[in-house]
Amino acid sequence: VTGVMVDAWGWRSVFIVPLVVSVLIGCWGATVPSRMPMPHGPDARFSPRGMVESRGFAGAAGLVGTAMSVYFSLNVMVPLFLGEQVHWESTVAGFCIGPLVVAYVLASLAGGRMLDRKGPRPLLPGGLGVAVAGSLFMMAAGLTASVPLVLAGALVVFVGCGMTGASFQTVGLRRLPASQHAIGVTIMTMAVQLAASLGPLVSVGVMTAAQGEMGVGGASYAAAWLLNAAVCAGGAVAAWKFYRT
């Protein structure tokens, strides 16, 4: 939808979508009373120190940010590649990104099922390992400027991030008492928002710096996707060591 809006009315028009949705949610929230009882007692008190000292929760929050930084980087970098290198319109780029996001959602559901059956140890390092493979595939495809190969690699990365993003959050929340799950979700959401800001910032910065050295071309995108592979690899190693202990 926003791809069509960009082509029709310019990039500023995309802000209409979150504006309208935010107003609708705000009106709904103001008219619907909360029916959830507020927790009481010592376990209901927010303790930042206690959450940080909970190795399970703090580590999971960091790994949520790791997976989502790569996911959001690709949400920015793939349309940039399709626009700069292939000169496709925003509408076409949007139709290419749409199936990738659907694959991410389906992988999230499959990851949750696998987490329930086999636990975090095989799933979480393995999911980030899948994202490493996809990032390396995209790096190689970027050097050849092959659109089908770039999209195939992005599909693999989206699946890997989908398998792990929500699952890391679930594992982290299980380390907290139920009365602190609300604030735990808030902290996890903050980690996602930081990842959504920092991931594309670093990826685009690396791509821009590479363009200064190598010129505009697929090689500059390959440099950014190599960085994504390194981030996923570091997260996979951290997850393996973390859940091993």
Side-chain angles (χ1 to χ4, degrees), residues 11-235:
W11 64 269
R12 293 176 178 85
S13 65
V14 302
F15 296 104
I16 296 174
V17 176
L19 173 62
V20 172
V21 173
S22 298
V23 170
L24 293 176
I25 293 175
C27 293
W28 175 79
T31 57
V32 178
S34 174
R35 297 178 177 87
M36 295 183 62
M38 296 299 295
H40 298 283
D43 289 341
R45 298 171 185 167
F46 171 52
S47 172
R49 179 179 178 182
M51 288 193 169
V52 171
E53 290 178 350
S54 173
R55 296 181 60 198
F57 178 81
L63 290 168
V64 165
T66 299
M68 300 311 294
S69 66
V70 174
Y71 169 76
F72 283 110
S73 294
L74 261 64
N75 272 285
V76 173
M77 295 292 293
V78 172
L80 276 178
F81 177 83
L82 297 177
E84 284 192 351
Q85 300 301 308
V86 193
H87 306 294
W88 284 359
E89 293 183 346
S90 300
T91 302
V92 180
F95 276 111
C96 290
I97 288 293
L100 300 180
V101 176
V102 172
Y104 172 88
V105 173
L106 296 177
S108 296
L109 297 174
R113 287 284 186 89
M114 193 178 301
L115 180 66
D116 290 337
R117 291 199 308 265
K118 299 183 179 181
R121 187 184 298 181
L123 169 68
L124 301 180
L128 287 178
V130 170
V132 171
S135 298
L136 292 175
F137 191 86
M138 290 186 70
M139 182 196 71
L143 295 174
T144 62
S146 171
V147 175
L149 295 181
V150 167
L151 293 178
L155 175 63
V156 175
V157 178
F158 272 56
V159 168
C161 291
M163 292 170 61
T164 56
S167 297
F168 277 128
Q169 178 169 320
T170 300
V171 171
L173 291 175
R174 286 176 178 173
R175 302 292 296 177
L176 299 177
S179 59
Q180 292 193 354
H181 279 189
I183 189 63
V185 170
T186 302
I187 293 176
M188 289 289 188
T189 303
M190 181 183 68
V192 172
Q193 297 304 321
L194 289 174
S197 302
L198 296 177
L201 171 67
V202 174
S203 292
V204 174
V206 169
M207 182 265 292
T208 304
Q211 285 182 347
E213 295 291 332
M214 299 178 284
V216 178
S220 59
Y221 288 88
W225 290 327
L226 177 60
L227 172 66
N228 286 341
V231 171
C232 291

